[in-house]
Amino acid sequence: MKKILFTTLISAFLVTGCNDNFLERFPEDKISDGNFWKTGADFKMYAAQFYPNLYDARLAWYTLDNFSDNQVPSSRNPYTWGEYPIPSSGGGWDKADWLPIRKVNYALDRIAGVPEDAALKLAHGELRFFRAFFYFDKLKKFGEVPWIESSLDTESEELVAPRDSRETVVNKMLADLDFAIQSLPETSTEDRVTKFAALTLKGDIALYEGTFRKYQKKEGDYLAILKKAVEAYEAVISSGRFGVWSTGNPAKDYFDLFVQYELKGNPEGILVQRYITDKRMHNNVRQLGEPYTGYSKDFVESYLCIDGLPIALSPLYKGDANFADEFINRDPRMDQSVYQSKRPYRIFDDGSTTYKPMPEFQNNYSPTSYFIIKGYSPYERDRLPSTSTTDDFVFRYGKLLVSYAEAKAELGECTQAVLDKTVNLLRDRVKMPHLKAEVGFVDPNWPKWEVAITPLLNEIRRERRLETCAEGIRWDDLVRWGAGKLLENPKTMQGAKDPATKANRVIYPGITARTWNNKLYLYPIPLQETALNPSLTQNPGW
């Protein structure tokens, strides 16, 4: 494109004659590269383009959990079922996938020499934050990737460079975030990223990489990086700016948290995405009304009873012979995440209400009959195409609390005091008994992890699974824990008890098992990319 532009300019020069001032002039009615990068405000305006990437409203977050043991889509997920071929191109590696990183680098290449003011300091911090954010997705998908710090051109040597090590990429991301933490403000009236958003992302990257190194047996000091996760999370917690949202109604608060029209000022909102009528709206509620997926039997059975015991041990568990019985005496988050008939399914503008008789097995709604209602507003106004304005969390304090508890447990430092300011605050919202550091029971249904863990870590992982269900992070968790074999459990592909057969609904007829392959922990590099750049090595097993 630069060569084409240069040729065009030379042609124009020849036509207009030898005017010495011509090549120094820029179009006065258009923004051009030569006249734009002048002030901090220019960089701040440029950085605004990346905010929609934090949460793509066109892709509902619950669909990401279709990869995991939490949900069962109507059609088999080709990736987790081992039916994903090495793509010839695309596959998360083409130029469009790398474009956000290039756009960030393009601005960073031009920031030197611009007089620093408050706007430039903010924008510089944002740009470094976004580069780490985009690279985190690359790391999770491909593992080792080239670390690129400039915008490149067609002759750049980096285009044929090998992949950098995970350690290099992680250290670069954390360095970007350390810069952002020092540059960003603690609050933002414009809903832009803050110091605490950067700290949260730093904690998430460090927790992911630390546990990945430990459970995937990768090189690197996993303890040192887990300590960085703890430090980042503690900085957010100790700020005192955030808390667990509650109105004191344990039967409603968890559900209501995810269907609010205004999250600005919500104590759990470390960073939120806001939607405004006729300005920015989404289609997620409508999609959740017909999601072609549902929670798995395995997931639903993981909810504790209200005595704090698992269903295998609690005398309060009523069994699953009848659909409604499963909800009796269970953690209130179950009733606020999974639909049952007593809850209005649709509320129309005239006040009329419809309810679904359960169980109901429908492929376009929920093949398992465990309907996802977390984030689903029953109001008809929110089901209209692309007109919903319920806000969404990018970084939620409730999730940070379970992440912090996990990191502390991995370090052997999760005391009762830690539990009381993390997991137990979330349990207080729904009036569940507190988790004890010694746990007090052994659940025969604890997942069969490939690497054995302590009872406390088992329960923290359970808490994370339940508190963050349908938020799109379960697959990432299974990857970093090296826990892909959990998908071999038949209940991860089954639904509720079918009254016609008195057995769990089998979602894929004739298929009762699947075999996990460790190569699925990382995606393959597309064939075209390894042909264009022989320095790129393929991921293991592909």
Side-chain angles (χ1 to χ4, degrees):
M1 288 301 296
K2 289 182 177 178
K3 291 179 180 178
I4 293 171
L5 179 60
F6 182 72
T7 302
T8 303
L9 286 172
I10 290 297
S11 299
F13 176 79
L14 292 174
V15 170
T16 56
C18 295
N19 183 342
D20 291 338
N21 294 325
F22 178 79
L23 292 179
E24 298 177 4
R25 296 174 61 190
F26 300 101
E28 295 182 358
D29 61 341
K30 296 179 181 179
I31 295 176
S32 67
D33 196 60
N35 65 15
F36 180 69
W37 308 101
K38 302 297 184 184
T39 68
D42 295 334
F43 286 87
K44 183 179 175 183
M45 180 171 66
Y46 181 88
Q49 69 179 294
F50 300 115
Y51 279 87
N53 294 87
L54 291 171
Y55 180 94
D56 191 341
R58 297 168 300 172
L59 301 173
W61 37 260
Y62 68 88
T63 60
L64 297 175
D65 275 358
N66 285 339
F67 283 76
S68 75
D69 53 348
N70 280 8
Q71 293 177 193
V72 191
S74 298
S75 300
R76 288 187 299 173
N77 182 298
Y79 190 81
T80 55
W81 280 87
E83 299 166 354
Y84 182 89
I86 301 177
S88 58
S89 61
W93 196 282
D94 65 15
K95 61 183 180 181
D97 296 307
W98 285 93
L99 184 59
I101 292 172
R102 184 182 188 278
K103 286 182 175 180
V104 171
N105 286 334
Y106 190 82
L108 290 174
D109 286 347
R110 287 153 177 77
I111 211 163
V114 177
E116 181 167 304
D117 56 14
L120 186 69
K121 183 179 179 182
L122 170 68
H124 199 171
E126 287 182 327
L127 291 166
R128 297 283 287 270
F129 168 91
F130 281 115
R131 184 163 65 185
F133 179 87
F134 294 135
Y135 256 109
F136 190 26
D137 279 342
K138 289 281 181 281
L139 179 86
K140 289 187 291 185
K141 190 162 189 172
F142 297 108
E144 296 179 344
V145 291
W147 179 266
I148 300 169
E149 290 188 333
S150 61
S151 54
L152 307 186
D153 57 36
T154 56
E155 306 300 324
S156 296
E157 293 181 0
E158 292 90 338
L159 294 175
V160 290
R163 298 196 279 174
D164 287 300
S165 68
R166 290 185 68 100
E167 188 169 11
T168 294
V169 175
V170 170
N171 288 342
K172 293 285 191 179
M173 287 191 293
L174 296 183
D176 270 351
L177 290 170
D178 284 339
F179 183 93
I181 290 163
Q182 296 300 317
S183 303
L184 294 170
E186 294 191 355
T187 61
S188 172
T189 58
E190 302 174 282
D191 303 313
R192 298 177 82 103
V193 295
T194 64
K195 168 184 177 179
F196 299 111
L199 281 164
T200 303
L201 180 56
K202 180 181 179 180
D204 289 350
I205 291 172
L207 176 63
Y208 185 94
E209 183 62 13
T211 49
F212 188 94
R213 290 178 186 179
K214 177 180 179 179
Y215 294 104
Q216 296 277 8
K217 297 179 172 57
K218 298 296 181 181
E219 292 183 2
D221 187 345
Y222 72 85
L223 292 174
I225 198 165
L226 284 173
K227 289 178 181 177
K228 291 184 179 182
V230 165
E231 291 167 0
Y233 291 142
E234 284 181 343
V236 178
I237 294 170
S238 64
S239 73
R241 293 182 176 274
F242 307 97
V244 175
W245 180 82
S246 173
T247 70
N249 190 334
K252 291 177 77 281
D253 282 348
Y254 183 75
F255 175 84
D256 288 349
L257 178 63
F258 300 98
V259 291
Q260 295 190 26
Y261 296 111
E262 183 54 82
L263 285 177
K264 188 177 182 66
N266 187 291
E268 285 199 46
I270 299 172
L271 183 64
V272 302
Q273 290 276 283
R274 299 175 64 212
Y275 297 90
I276 302 172
T277 301
D278 296 331
K279 293 183 180 293
R280 188 183 185 211
M281 300 180 286
H282 63 76
N283 203 43
N284 293 351
V285 174
R286 185 176 180 84
Q287 287 178 279
L288 262 175
E290 199 166 343
Y292 291 81
T293 189
Y295 294 118
S296 69
K297 185 70 172 181
D298 179 69
F299 170 75
V300 168
E301 288 188 341
S302 65
Y303 282 100
L304 299 173
C305 290
I306 56 174
D307 57 5
L309 294 174
I311 61 173
L313 302 176
S314 176
L316 300 179
Y317 180 54
K318 300 298 182 182
D320 63 353
N322 296 307
F323 185 83
D325 290 347
E326 291 192 77
F327 294 82
I328 298 173
N329 298 330
R330 302 291 289 280
D331 182 333
R333 284 174 293 190
M334 178 176 172
D335 179 54
Q336 297 172 66
S337 301
V338 188
Y339 180 78
Q340 61 169 314
S341 297
K342 69 179 183 180
R343 179 182 293 274
Y345 186 72
R346 297 180 78 167
I347 302 174
F348 296 88
D349 290 343
D350 62 3
S352 60
T353 302
T354 62
Y355 300 81
K356 276 186 175 292
M358 303 301 287
E360 179 185 278
F361 304 94
Q362 288 193 20
N363 278 347
N364 59 328
Y365 290 102
S366 175
T368 66
S369 190
Y370 294 127
F371 282 66
I372 301 168
I373 58 168
K374 182 176 177 178
Y376 171 75
S377 168
Y379 291 100
E380 193 65 16
R381 61 177 176 268
D382 293 322
R383 285 177 61 104
L384 298 175
S386 300
T387 58
S388 183
T389 58
T390 54
D391 287 352
D392 289 302
F393 292 100
V394 177
F395 296 121
R396 180 167 75 88
Y397 189 65
K399 174 178 172 287
L400 180 145
L401 292 179
V402 290
S403 297
Y404 174 63
E406 180 188 345
K408 292 288 279 185
E410 289 287 0
L411 293 171
E413 300 173 354
C414 190
T415 63
Q416 191 62 49
V418 171
L419 291 175
D420 288 344
K421 68 178 183 180
T422 56
V423 169
N424 290 333
L425 292 180
L426 298 170
R427 290 193 175 193
D428 285 343
R429 170 161 48 202
V430 290
K431 295 295 186 288
M432 279 289 289
H434 281 190
L435 174 61
K436 302 297 183 183
E438 67 276 10
V439 178
F441 60 81
V442 174
D443 184 0
N445 293 329
W446 274 334
K448 294 178 173 57
W449 309 107
E450 292 186 60
V451 178
I453 60 175
T454 65
L456 179 58
L457 203 45
N458 258 301
E459 285 307 298
I460 290 173
R461 287 186 181 183
R462 184 203 301 270
E463 196 72 22
R464 181 181 182 86
R465 186 182 193 184
L466 302 179
E467 177 66 27
T468 66
C469 68
E471 292 184 42
I473 67 168
R474 180 64 175 179
W475 168 252
D476 289 342
D477 288 345
L478 295 182
V479 169
R480 65 188 178 88
W481 294 332
K485 276 189 171 294
L486 294 188
L487 295 178
E488 294 182 345
N489 179 353
K491 289 185 178 181
T492 66
M493 62 198 85
Q494 294 175 3
K497 196 82 75 180
D498 189 338
T501 64
K502 308 300 182 184
N504 296 341
R505 172 62 73 99
V506 175
I507 307 306
Y508 312 123
I511 300 175
T512 57
R514 61 179 156 186
T515 302
W516 171 257
N517 190 321
N518 282 345
K519 74 177 185 179
L520 300 177
Y521 286 129
L522 295 174
Y523 274 72
I525 309 299
L527 297 173
Q528 177 178 283
E529 303 303 329
T530 55
L532 290 171
N533 180 7
S535 297
L536 288 179
T537 55
Q538 187 55 275
N539 275 326
W542 289 95

